[in-house]
Amino acid sequence: MTLTDPATGQDLRNVGGLVRDARRHRGLTQAQLAERLGSSPVEVARIERGDQEVSLELLGRLAAALGDGPVPVGRTVRTHLRVSGGTPLHGSVTVKSSKNAAVALLCASLLNRGRTTLRNVARIVEVDRILAVLTSIGVSATWDAGGRDLTLVVPEQLDLAAIDADAARRTRSIIMFLGPLLHRADSFELPYAGGCDLGTRTVEPHMIALRHFGLAVEARAGRYQATVTRSAGCDRTIVLTERGDTVTENALLAAARHDGTTTIRNASPNYMVQDLCLYLEKLGVRIEGFGTTTLVVTGRPVLDADVDYPLSEDPVEAMSLLTAGIVTNSEVTVRRAPIEFLEIELAILAEMGLRYGLSPEYPADNGRTRLVDVTIHPSQLRAPLDKVHPMPFPGLNIDNLPFFAVIAATATGETVIHDWVYDNRAIHLSDLTRLGADVRLLDPHRVLVSGPTRWSGAEVVCPPALRPAVCILLAMLAAKGQSVLRNVDIIARGYEQLYERLVEVGAQLEVFTD
């Protein structure tokens, strides 16, 4: 694999034209090509117009889907990685914008009668799925020439009967349509929420929060049937039964157009919630308690503003990139890391013996998020004295917890990783044993990791969960010899051009398909 200079708009249009011509030569519709790619017709249309950056991974999938051999329509092209590991990384890599903030703001755009422009949007599968749903119900979505900024215009009437059910079922984020839609229709249907295979994840906290706004939801034949009972505007207090990120976001989305003051207690102050608050403030919603667990929202029945909002950087991606450097015993700088959402992780790593330095803080483009450049140095790590477990922000981020399993495998001693949130994710971490790690499953929520590990190459099928899948990839960077990670499409759900960016700092990766 070799890297090229960033594609220009003309380059992308040229690639798009080649894809369109090859598709037509094969007699395929955009929908049929999307089915082969495991993508959506919306993404194929963007590629052919030259409106989407085309990564090396996507180029490989396109080549396989449009190849000369007989490929039956309906076959999904599987993408794999060949990794030559065991060598240190070097240089610097820049954190991209937040996946979780992007999907929240895409859902929030349904509140606005004006034009919403989101700056520096992550070009990932999860975003594509939400966009496919939005455009299917009538929302106009236009990328700028550089493919980084997205402008959304919501029509007066949404065509909810035309919703792209397949795209909706592939993402759990569809649950965040409930908050905006309860203001637009007295009754509506949404497909069941999907996402990673992380065990049973109840939506009941969402139902409890939104019940305060007159929403009732009944499950019927694979869909949520929602009805709304209207009431006069009044002040209300909601106590969330769990301090969840999407639950807080749904409550905020509902409160934004409520004619009155809504107090949300036990709210999550996590990074994606803060992005949502900043966007809603641009729409004219007043929010007190920013960054705390009590939010007081003064809503407006009509939100009509042309707004631009630059998304903040992704702390989970930052942790992923830091882990790549740690497990390969490298000196690497991770630029534009949102330090407020990494302080606990870095404190634990310091206790484990990691040597690192921080640049002076500087503001993100949104004017509020604090960024730093983090430089890590080769270090001899030791197991932490206590178990590693997540907590709601400002605790250790639940999405960052899996990275401590692969880090602990490089440390001397025993570490208990306790994932009390998800039923199955700890089980997926046991796949690290295929690469030589000593990872023992204590129960569905806890693993015991003993180190240090002498990593060795192996062939592993990607687990059906995003963060454990990336952990396997990062361990392969540390493993001597050659490894193969199969069925890596799930990684594209949450990371933009991850493979290319790892190659930029010295990783040896090759994308292939079959």
Side-chain angles (χ1 to χ4, degrees):
M1 172 184 289
T2 58
L3 292 176
T4 60
D5 292 333
T8 65
Q10 186 59 50
D11 291 334
L12 294 175
R13 287 189 289 274
N14 291 341
V15 170
L18 291 172
V19 171
R20 182 193 62 240
D21 293 344
R23 174 181 60 78
R24 290 174 175 173
H25 179 71
R26 295 295 303 275
L28 300 175
T29 66
Q30 289 182 338
Q32 288 169 331
L33 177 56
E35 191 172 1
R36 292 187 180 194
L37 292 170
S39 180
S40 69
V42 173
E43 182 180 21
V44 172
R46 284 207 310 270
I47 293 169
E48 294 187 356
R49 290 195 306 267
D51 290 342
Q52 174 159 322
E53 290 185 10
V54 181
S55 66
L56 293 176
E57 180 245 350
L58 181 53
L59 278 176
R61 290 163 59 201
L62 285 165
L66 295 168
D68 293 331
V71 184
V73 172
R75 169 190 166 189
T76 299
V77 177
R78 299 294 183 185
T79 307
H80 318 293
L81 281 178
R82 189 173 289 111
V83 183
S84 297
T87 57
L89 307 179
H90 53 82
S92 64
V93 60
T94 301
V95 178
K96 289 186 177 286
S97 64
S98 164
K99 161 214 166 191
N100 288 324
V103 296
L105 295 183
L106 288 174
C107 298
S109 70
L110 291 169
L111 295 168
N112 187 17
R113 290 186 178 179
R115 185 197 69 242
T116 293
T117 298
L118 302 178
R119 306 287 182 187
N120 195 28
V121 180
R123 303 300 297 265
I124 57 174
V125 170
E126 191 79 350
V127 166
D128 285 339
R129 289 173 180 168
I130 293 295
L131 273 179
V133 176
L134 288 172
T135 55
S136 72
I137 61 177
V139 177
S140 169
T142 307
W143 293 96
D144 73 337
R148 303 305 309 168
D149 300 339
L150 177 65
T151 297
L152 301 155
V153 179
V154 181
E156 185 66 27
Q157 295 296 325
L158 295 172
D159 187 3
L160 294 177
I163 194 168
D164 186 336
D166 180 64
R169 289 192 182 98
R170 290 171 178 262
T171 171
R172 184 173 169 82
S173 302
I174 192 67
I175 197 75
M176 284 193 292
F177 276 46
L178 291 173
L181 290 182
L182 68 84
H183 294 289
R184 298 188 65 110
D186 292 333
S187 64
F188 57 92
E189 289 185 347
L190 287 178
Y192 276 136
C196 291
D197 178 13
L198 296 174
T200 302
R201 300 166 72 185
T202 178
V203 297
E204 187 59 25
H206 294 261
M207 304 302 104
I208 294 172
L210 297 179
R211 206 172 291 150
H212 291 268
F213 300 94
L215 182 74
V217 178
E218 182 181 348
R220 294 180 184 172
R223 289 178 172 269
Y224 299 121
Q225 177 64 51
T227 56
V228 184
T229 303
R230 306 291 173 190
S231 60
C234 60
D235 295 347
R236 62 193 61 184
T237 297
I238 301 172
V239 179
L240 301 182
T241 56
E242 69 170 38
R243 196 184 301 171
D245 301 325
T246 56
V247 175
T248 302
E249 288 167 329
N250 240 339
L252 278 167
L253 294 170
R257 285 189 56 186
H258 172 62
D259 188 12
T261 298
T262 303
T263 301
I264 306 171
R265 301 196 187 280
N266 196 32
S268 165
N270 210 355
Y271 62 97
M272 69 292 283
V273 176
Q274 293 193 15
D275 263 305
L276 178 58
C277 287
L278 294 174
Y279 169 76
L280 293 177
E281 286 179 340
K282 282 181 171 285
L283 290 182
V285 179
R286 195 174 77 194
I287 301 176
E288 301 172 54
F290 180 89
T292 75
T293 58
T294 299
L295 298 174
V296 180
V297 184
T298 303
R300 300 175 63 183
V302 176
L303 300 176
D304 188 351
D306 292 340
V307 298
D308 283 32
Y309 184 75
L311 277 72
S312 66
E313 282 70 12
D314 194 327
V316 182
E317 180 177 290
M319 186 66 194
S320 309
L321 298 171
L322 289 170
T323 302
I326 292 168
V327 300
T328 56
N329 205 31
S330 305
E331 182 165 314
V332 173
T333 297
V334 176
R335 302 193 183 281
R336 300 186 68 83
I339 185 60
E340 181 179 358
F341 306 102
L342 291 166
E343 289 175 327
I344 301 299
E345 286 83 343
L346 288 172
I348 295 172
L349 290 170
E351 289 299 311
M352 296 177 69
L354 179 69
R355 297 187 299 115
Y356 66 89
L358 304 179
S359 74
E361 292 184 5
Y362 54 96
D365 292 341
N366 65 17
R368 296 290 288 270
T369 305
R370 298 182 288 117
L371 303 179
V372 297
D373 300 338
V374 184
T375 300
I376 59 172
H377 306 284
S379 307
Q380 295 296 315
L381 300 184
R382 56 188 176 273
L385 296 177
D386 199 1
K387 66 180 181 295
V388 181
H389 65 283
M391 289 293 287
F393 180 78
L396 190 149
N397 191 315
I398 179 60
D399 285 335
N400 282 339
L401 182 70
F403 301 115
F404 279 90
V406 66
I407 292 171
T410 69
T412 299
E414 294 186 337
T415 304
V416 173
I417 308 292
H418 185 192
D419 187 344
W420 56 266
V421 178
Y422 297 126
D423 293 338
N424 292 340
R425 195 160 67 172
I427 294 172
H428 298 317
L429 294 173
S430 63
D431 286 343
L432 291 169
T433 59
R434 301 286 301 278
L435 297 160
D438 184 353
V439 179
R440 283 171 279 173
L441 188 67
L442 301 178
D443 56 50
H445 293 274
R446 295 183 304 151
V447 293
L448 177 65
V449 184
S450 301
T453 299
R454 297 183 62 180
W455 300 103
S456 57
E459 182 169 317
V460 182
V461 176
C462 238
L466 174 59
R467 308 306 174 185
V470 175
C471 285
I472 301 297
L473 169 58
L474 300 182
M476 287 180 172
L477 297 179
K480 291 185 177 180
Q482 191 172 97
S483 299
V484 173
L485 185 58
R486 293 199 170 272
N487 301 342
V488 297
D489 299 284
I490 192 169
I491 294 176
R493 278 193 60 227
Y495 293 84
E496 182 181 5
Q497 297 181 321
L498 177 62
Y499 316 138
E500 290 89 338
R501 293 156 66 216
L502 288 172
V503 168
E504 287 177 354
V505 291
Q508 298 179 50
L509 304 175
E510 179 186 354
V511 179
F512 66 101
T513 59
D514 59 20

